[in-house]
């Protein structure tokens, strides 16, 4: 057992009968998670670790080896779930300094997740004089940010390579049969991988969406899937009392107490992008119908020197979930100084991991004393199996938490509002009436 929930720092915030009162809602949420509809209910991720497409996985590994052998750089084009999981996994498994470390795998850059020309230009400049491959990820092929980036990157590659060379360097992850990107990839003869119809973007990191870029960095993606499968089997064996369900229940109990902001924290900087992945997973799944816990994140101890004051003494609408790593890859011992100029001589010979652990415990005690409930999600170490377990743990917790809250955790109706306005203001055909309406509002301000 690796990933586990520790709730002892939250006991004082939970009334004796509160958990029992949640039981009926949890039973209903469990039934909803396990139910299957004739229509696509986007629960394909649920059984995926147990029955993934072995041929597709082998093709992903072959493509990753080809990219590692022939390229200095892999550009990954995607937004939201089409890039966050892969980037998070690479930084977690390798390093947040991955691209500048000496290694025998390509640099990996992520674009198509903003409209910033400066950012895209920075990445393209880094590719000058280097052999480049591209992985473009989009179910439809019409996501604006990613489509613009693909146009720009392909324009760069057309100056560098022949069409036949480009065909060997572009890898497309998209719908199995439909969509503009699928049609274009088939026409150009690009290598293609499948985004399953029944897996939504924020639940897609264990599909080709995440596995291809992750495999390029040299990670063992089969071990990730094995970790996810281990977590699934454990959840099945433990039934309604499993840790993922308990986490879902506790966060909803805090929400009903008026604690509408959850801060996910880690004491490992390598977890920073995992925080970003988690924020999309929970924010997009629960934030609807006027409901939802707002997901925020911190990396301690750095953020104790910025947000720590608010967490300790600010408005009491917060609870924290700390993701704790038990084992470090390489421990370091604090050296002694001939002259104790910093007053830290008492730490001479102490392991850095010990300082990190005591800082965490001290912070937990301070924050709970200040009225902030704290949960701990603990994992053993930074490796592929632990990561697979963590990902699946949060998948399950997110789905069940959404159902307990009373929302559909697999849709995202609110994200279309900004797109409609943006298309209208940019002059997309069919949006003329809305454009006039928006311009009238703008001029009235």
């Amino acid at each position: 057992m690796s990933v586990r929930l520790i709730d002892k720092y939250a006991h004082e915030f939970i009334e004796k009968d509160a958990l029992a009162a949640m039981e009926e809602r949890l039973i209903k949420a469990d039934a909803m998670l396990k139910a299957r509809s004739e229509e696509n209910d986007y629960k394909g991720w649920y059984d995926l670790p147990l029955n993934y497409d072995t041929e597709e996985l082998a093709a992903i590994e072959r493509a990753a080896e080809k990219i590692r052998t022939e390229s200095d750089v892999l550009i990954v084009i995607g937004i939201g779930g089409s890039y966050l999981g892969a980037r998070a996994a690479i930084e977690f498994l390798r390093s947040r300094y991955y691209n500048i470390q000496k290694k025998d795998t390509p640099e990996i850059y992520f674009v198509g997740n903003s409209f910033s020309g400066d950012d895209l230009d920075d990445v393209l400049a880094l590719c000058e004089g280097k052999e480049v491959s591209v992985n473009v990820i989009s179910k439809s092929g019409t996501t604006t940010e990613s489509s613009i980036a693909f146009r720009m990157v392909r324009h760069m590659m057309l100056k560098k390579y022949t069409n036949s060379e480009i065909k060997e360097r572009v890898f497309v992850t998209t719908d199995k049969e439909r969509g503009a990107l699928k049609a274009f990839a088939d026409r150009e003869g690009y290598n293609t991988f499948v985004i399953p119809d029944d897996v939504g973007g924020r639940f897609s990191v264990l599909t080709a969406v995440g596995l291809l870029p992750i495999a390029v960095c040299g990670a063992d993606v089969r071990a990730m899937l094995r970790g996810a499968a281990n977590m699934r089997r454990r959840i099945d064996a433990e039934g309604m009392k499993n840790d993922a369900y308990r986490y879902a229940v506790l966060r909803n109990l805090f929400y009903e107490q008026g604690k509408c902001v959850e801060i996910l924290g880690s004491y490992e900087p390598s977890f920073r992008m995992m925080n970003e992945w988690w924020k999309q997973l929970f924010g997009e799944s629960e934030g609807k119908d006027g409901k939802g816990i707002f997901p925020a994140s911190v990396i301690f101890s750095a953020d104790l020197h910025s947000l720590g004051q608010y967490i300790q003494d600010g408005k009491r609408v917060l609870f924290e979930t700390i993701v704790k790593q038990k084992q470090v890859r390489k421990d370091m011992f604090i050296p002694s100084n001939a002259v104790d100029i910093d007053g830290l001589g008492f730490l001479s010979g102490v392991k850095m991991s010990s300082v990190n652990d005591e800082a965490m415990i001290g912070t937990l005690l301070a924050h709970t004393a200040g009225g902030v409930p704290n949960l701990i999600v603990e994992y053993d170490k930074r490796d592929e199996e632990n990561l697979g377990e963590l990902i699946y743990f949060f998948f399950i917790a997110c789905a069940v938490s959404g159902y307990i809250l009373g929302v559909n955790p697999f849709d995202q109706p609110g994200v279309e509002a900004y797109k409609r306005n943006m298309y209208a203001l940019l002059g997309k055909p069919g949006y003329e009436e809305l454009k006039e309406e928006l311009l009238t509002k703008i001029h009235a301000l």
Side-chain angles (χ1 to χ4, degrees):
M1 182 175 72
S2 173
V3 176
R4 63 194 67 82
L5 179 73
I6 300 168
D7 61 5
K8 62 183 180 181
Y9 294 97
H11 286 171
E12 64 184 280
F13 300 94
I14 303 169
E15 296 179 4
K16 290 183 179 180
D17 298 328
L19 289 173
M22 274 280 185
E23 187 173 351
E24 184 176 340
R25 288 162 65 182
L26 178 59
I27 291 171
K28 183 178 178 181
D30 173 72
M32 294 175 74
L33 175 63
K34 294 174 180 176
R36 290 296 175 269
S37 169
E38 291 184 4
E39 297 182 2
N40 186 2
D41 55 9
Y42 293 99
K43 297 177 189 173
W45 58 270
Y46 183 69
D47 292 325
L48 187 146
L50 304 178
N51 61 9
Y52 58 84
D53 186 330
T54 55
E55 292 184 6
E56 175 98 339
L57 182 60
I60 288 169
E61 292 172 323
R62 288 193 298 271
E65 176 61 26
K66 178 180 174 65
I67 294 167
R68 286 196 299 268
T69 302
E70 300 178 2
S71 298
D72 304 307
V73 174
L74 172 67
I75 299 177
V76 182
I77 303 174
I79 193 168
S82 293
Y83 97 99
L84 279 170
R87 183 172 176 185
I90 290 167
E91 293 196 11
F92 176 88
L93 294 171
R94 292 294 178 258
S95 168
R96 61 188 181 129
Y97 308 111
Y98 170 82
N99 282 328
I100 60 174
Q101 289 178 322
K102 186 176 181 180
K103 56 191 179 303
D104 58 2
T105 53
E107 299 163 29
I108 303 175
Y109 297 104
F110 294 86
V111 303
N113 46 70
S114 77
F115 292 117
S116 171
D118 281 354
D119 187 74
L120 183 56
D121 181 65
D122 288 344
V123 172
L124 295 181
L126 290 168
C127 296
E128 291 181 9
K130 299 175 182 178
E131 300 299 330
V132 178
S133 288
V134 177
N135 178 205
V136 56
I137 306 167
S138 174
K139 195 165 186 65
S140 66
T142 58
T143 304
T144 312
E145 293 90 339
S146 302
S147 296
I148 290 173
F150 187 35
R151 282 192 177 212
M152 301 294 287
V153 171
R154 189 167 177 272
H155 183 70
M156 176 270 290
M157 294 187 76
L158 283 168
K159 294 179 180 179
K160 184 178 179 68
Y161 301 111
T162 66
N163 284 330
S164 60
E165 288 173 331
I166 291 175
K167 186 171 72 171
E168 296 299 314
R169 292 183 173 276
V170 175
F171 301 83
V172 174
T173 308
T174 189
D175 190 89
K176 184 177 183 179
E177 298 176 346
R178 302 179 299 275
L181 185 56
K182 171 62 175 172
F184 183 70
D186 287 347
R187 191 187 79 192
E188 298 295 319
Y190 295 153
N191 294 283
T192 59
F193 297 96
V194 175
I195 303 175
D197 286 339
D198 56 357
V199 178
R202 58 190 177 274
F203 288 86
S204 67
V205 64
L206 297 178
T207 72
V209 169
L211 295 182
L212 177 56
I214 296 168
V216 170
C217 87
D220 184 350
V221 292
R222 290 179 184 266
M224 279 182 63
L225 288 164
R226 186 163 60 248
N230 290 342
M231 177 55 70
R232 167 61 187 275
R233 294 188 184 99
R234 191 176 122 205
I235 286 170
D236 288 346
E238 294 175 353
M240 301 295 289
K241 296 186 182 298
N242 73 74
D243 280 359
Y245 280 22
R246 282 203 302 134
Y247 173 52
V249 166
L250 288 170
R251 60 196 308 277
N252 274 277
L253 281 176
F254 297 148
Y255 178 66
E256 293 188 352
Q257 294 173 10
K259 298 189 181 298
C260 57
V261 177
E262 179 177 11
I263 298 176
L264 191 77
S266 173
Y267 286 74
E268 294 295 334
S270 62
F271 207 81
R272 186 179 302 276
M273 286 306 300
M274 284 295 293
N275 280 350
E276 298 303 310
W277 170 81
W278 173 88
K279 285 191 287 191
Q280 189 209 2
L281 178 66
F282 279 85
E284 204 168 55
S285 296
E286 291 191 326
K288 56 199 72 168
D289 301 338
K291 303 176 182 178
I293 299 167
F294 183 82
S297 65
V298 291
I299 295 292
F300 290 151
S301 62
D303 286 325
L304 289 175
H305 296 259
S306 56
L307 297 175
Q309 173 62 41
Y310 189 96
I311 297 170
Q312 185 69 48
D313 288 337
K315 196 170 178 63
R316 302 295 75 188
V317 295
L318 311 173
F319 68 95
E320 290 178 280
T321 300
I322 300 301
V323 185
K324 181 183 184 299
Q325 180 177 306
K326 282 187 68 177
Q327 303 171 25
V328 297
R329 287 180 174 175
K330 183 179 180 180
D331 221 334
M332 301 180 71
F333 291 84
I334 299 171
S336 59
N337 286 337
V339 179
D340 190 18
I341 57 174
D342 53 16
L344 296 178
F346 70 97
L347 293 178
S348 297
V350 176
K351 293 185 291 186
M352 286 284 291
S353 62
S354 297
V355 177
N356 211 19
D357 288 344
E358 298 308 326
M360 186 197 76
I361 297 300
T363 304
L364 283 167
L365 294 173
H367 287 181
T368 52
V372 180
N374 266 254
L375 302 170
I376 300 173
V377 174
E378 187 178 71
Y379 64 95
D380 284 342
K381 56 186 177 180
R382 285 171 61 192
D383 69 7
E384 288 87 344
E385 283 201 29
N386 276 263
L387 179 59
E389 284 194 35
L390 269 174
I391 287 169
Y392 199 78
F393 172 90
F394 282 126
F395 278 171
I396 292 289
C398 180
V400 170
S401 183
Y403 284 136
I404 291 173
L405 183 64
V407 300
N408 178 358
F410 304 113
D411 66 1
Q412 52 280 337
V415 301
E416 299 303 319
Y418 90 89
K419 293 180 182 179
R420 291 180 66 252
N421 288 350
M422 178 183 68
Y423 291 151
L425 293 171
L426 288 171
K428 184 174 182 177
Y431 289 78
E432 292 81 5
E433 186 175 334
L434 178 57
K435 181 175 183 177
E436 291 301 317
E437 179 185 330
L438 294 175
L439 289 175
T440 299
K441 287 182 178 180
I442 292 168
H443 293 320
L445 294 176

